[in-house]
Amino acid sequence: MEQYRNMLQTLSKIPPTGESFLLLSQDVGMKIYNRFSIRRQLQGSHMDRIRSLYNEYVQLLSKEGQISCLLPRELWENSEHEKFGGSCSPRVHSTWPRSLLVQLGTHLVELMVQTIKLKNNMFSPRSEPKLIPVLYHMYSFRSTRQIGLIKPHPIYSQMLLDAGETLLTFETSVMPMRCPPLPWTSPHFGAYLLSPSKLMRSGEGAVQHQLLLEKSSPGQLFPVLDSLNQLGICAWRINKPVLDIIVSIFNDKGSEKLDIPPPLSEAPAFPLQNTGSLSSWDKLSYQKEQARCRKKAAEMYSLRMDALYKLSIANHLRDQIFWFPHNMDFRGRTYPCPPYFNHLGSDVTRALLLFAEGRPLGPNGLDWLKTHLINLTGLKKKNSLQERKQYAEEIMDDILDSADRPLTGRKWWMEADEPWQTLACCMEVANASRSPDPTKYISHFPVHQDGSCNGLQHYAALGRDEIGAKSVNLMPSETPQDVYSGVAQQVEGFRQIDAKKGIKIAQVLEGFIGRKVVKQTVMTVVYGVTRYGGRLQIEKRLREMDSFPQEYVWEASHYLVQQVFSSLKEMFSGTRSIQHWLTESARMISKSGNTVEWVTPLGLPIIQPYHRSKSVMFHSNLQTVHVTNKNDANA
């Protein structure tokens, strides 16, 4: 019965345009594995022990500050030893490889295609009744690749549309938790109470990370586990006034300006034309326009569904307190386990979240809130913090108007770089400034902060590059520095010199070199972007400029990428040499038949998971399936 429920849930989520047979099979296989893991967890007395320990752990956690300075992991381990004399972590079971998940999924998808049927006369009663398949297998081209698709019959898609089903069903592992997550105590135990979870995310088939974690000496991973636990026990709640405004705009055809995707009814209409009388050139143009409309409609559907998922989860949790269990990727970067809705999301998602536990603002809190508000607008990037706070005081009428009348007032907040976080901050500033004593106002508002091109910050510190360090705010400065503007200014200086020498492309580029043109290339150069990749990035920015002569795009992008690399070499003199040393080291290690690996200062073992890909092929009744494995050490 459970397998049938899984398949029906999958059926209802297949878009009218179809879904990849491989991805659908993998998704169904993963659902079965998750159910199997949960059922295995519930067998025997193990779950009774976990339940008993968890109840005691939550009680201790709520009194944490009053009873001791123990960390969550230590609270759990102490309870384990007191109650059961040792660890109660479940027996470790091997995970199912991706090839097995896909094979299982293909079998079940085949069953769905063969057995699920509907009457063909549901919308035309006069037709002779006949049972027809709900799902069809077909081939289609995605870019230059031919892939197998599972596509629902239009009658079924229309049925779903007419039914107006409002219930969305999610796996528990993609939802925030309504109770504190289990503390990570080992690579095998932590996060969700029942759903399977991994301490370290990895590509399908990668086993080396897990082996390294298991070989770590006792206590070596404690700093890493404790860091994840601290992130996981932070409780959150929903900013209901902001949610209600976003939902009202979502239901009223959305707003691309405010990053609220419009419904498919707003998609460009498909051109309808009799192609018989068209010339070959006009037919090609007609086909291109049709392809453009299909692509736009598919993108709009994807974005609309993504927004629907996020808002549905937020609305489901609107009166709840919830938690985000965390894990990490193979580099040690931490992430919330729930993928759709979390505090690392877009501007919309971040604006919807508040800390469940508030703190008084104190003597300087309101001033910092005002400064943060101006940071969100992006209006005073080159001004000092004091000037930003002063600017907030000057426009307090606009701030209060935005908070009081977000959709009917002057709508100042809508012009900000991060409009929804700006609106949420306007409301918080208004509430705090109107309170009897702002210093005692209990604020739940989260302030997100980011590094200034974090990759370049690391290289500047490693290379002791003083000029570069100043440009990424590693040196004291009255006003915040912007490395992207700095590079753009230096490139403009190079251009002016070349223009005076009579170089044509330098003359054509006059007035077109700005922060936006160079930003992506500067940001990605530390991650190994080549001159070729950088040229494509700059080309894309130039094509977005209506006033730039498009016949010079290739030559201009080729010229600019050279100047950007030259500018970075001057500002970050040690960066390129460090990059070269790292690249050469990795090449020599790989050539010797070994993988690149190291241990971080926190004791986390890291291994690069990149290997030659190996394709596993197997046949199903619908099509031949190729499963590519790029991560297995034996590939």
Side-chain angles (χ1 to χ4, degrees), residues 202-217:
S202 59
E204 295 295 341
V207 296
Q208 293 169 296
H209 306 91
Q210 194 64 32
L211 293 174
L212 275 179
L213 293 173
E214 289 170 4
K215 289 178 184 176
S216 301
S217 58

Side-chain angles (χ1 to χ4, degrees), residues 48 108 120 183 195 245 255 264 291 427 473 488 540 544 622 628:
D48 293 332
L108 294 174
N120 68 332
S195 297
I245 295 168
S255 167
L264 272 180
M427 292 178 172
N473 295 303
K540 188 176 181 182
E544 290 170 355
L622 295 178
T628 304

Side-chain angles (χ1 to χ4, degrees), residues 184 199 223-233 324-328 334-335:
W184 286 105
L199 174 66
V224 174
L225 302 178
D226 293 337
S227 301
L228 290 169
N229 292 336
Q230 288 302 128
L231 292 169
I233 62 170
F324 297 119
H326 281 64
N327 62 4
M328 59 187 169
T334 61
Y335 297 92

Side-chain angles (χ1 to χ4, degrees), residues 418-439:
E418 309 281 359
W420 291 107
Q421 289 179 82
T422 299
L423 175 60
C425 199
C426 284
M427 292 178 172
E428 189 72 1
V429 168
N431 291 336
S433 59
R434 289 165 174 166
S435 66
D437 184 356
T439 64

Side-chain angles (χ1 to χ4, degrees), residues 20 147 188 238 328 540 622:
S20 159
I147 65 167
H188 306 287
I238 296 296
M328 59 187 169
K540 188 176 181 182
L622 295 178

Side-chain angles (χ1 to χ4, degrees), residues 384-439:
S384 67
L385 297 178
Q386 180 60 33
E387 288 169 334
R388 297 182 195 194
K389 188 194 78 149
Q390 187 177 339
Y391 179 69
E393 301 283 1
E394 293 170 3
I395 60 165
M396 189 55 71
D397 282 348
D398 286 330
I399 294 171
L400 296 177
D401 177 74
S402 296
D404 297 338
R405 299 183 299 154
L407 299 180
T408 57
R410 296 192 289 271
K411 305 177 186 177
W412 169 82
W413 63 278
M414 290 188 182
E415 305 304 318
D417 283 358
E418 309 281 359
W420 291 107
Q421 289 179 82
T422 299
L423 175 60
C425 199
C426 284
M427 292 178 172
E428 189 72 1
V429 168
N431 291 336
S433 59
R434 289 165 174 166
S435 66
D437 184 356
T439 64

Side-chain angles (χ1 to χ4, degrees), residues 18 43 68 93 106 112 179 279 343-344 349 359 403 416 419 444 447 492 501 510 539 544 600 602 610:
Q43 290 175 349
S68 70
H93 296 274
T106 55
M112 292 167 68
C179 56
S279 65
H343 55 84
L344 295 187
T349 312
R359 293 282 190 276
H444 298 258
V447 174
E492 172 62 15
K501 292 178 182 176
E510 182 176 359
E539 178 184 326
E544 290 170 355
T600 72
L602 279 183
Y610 308 117

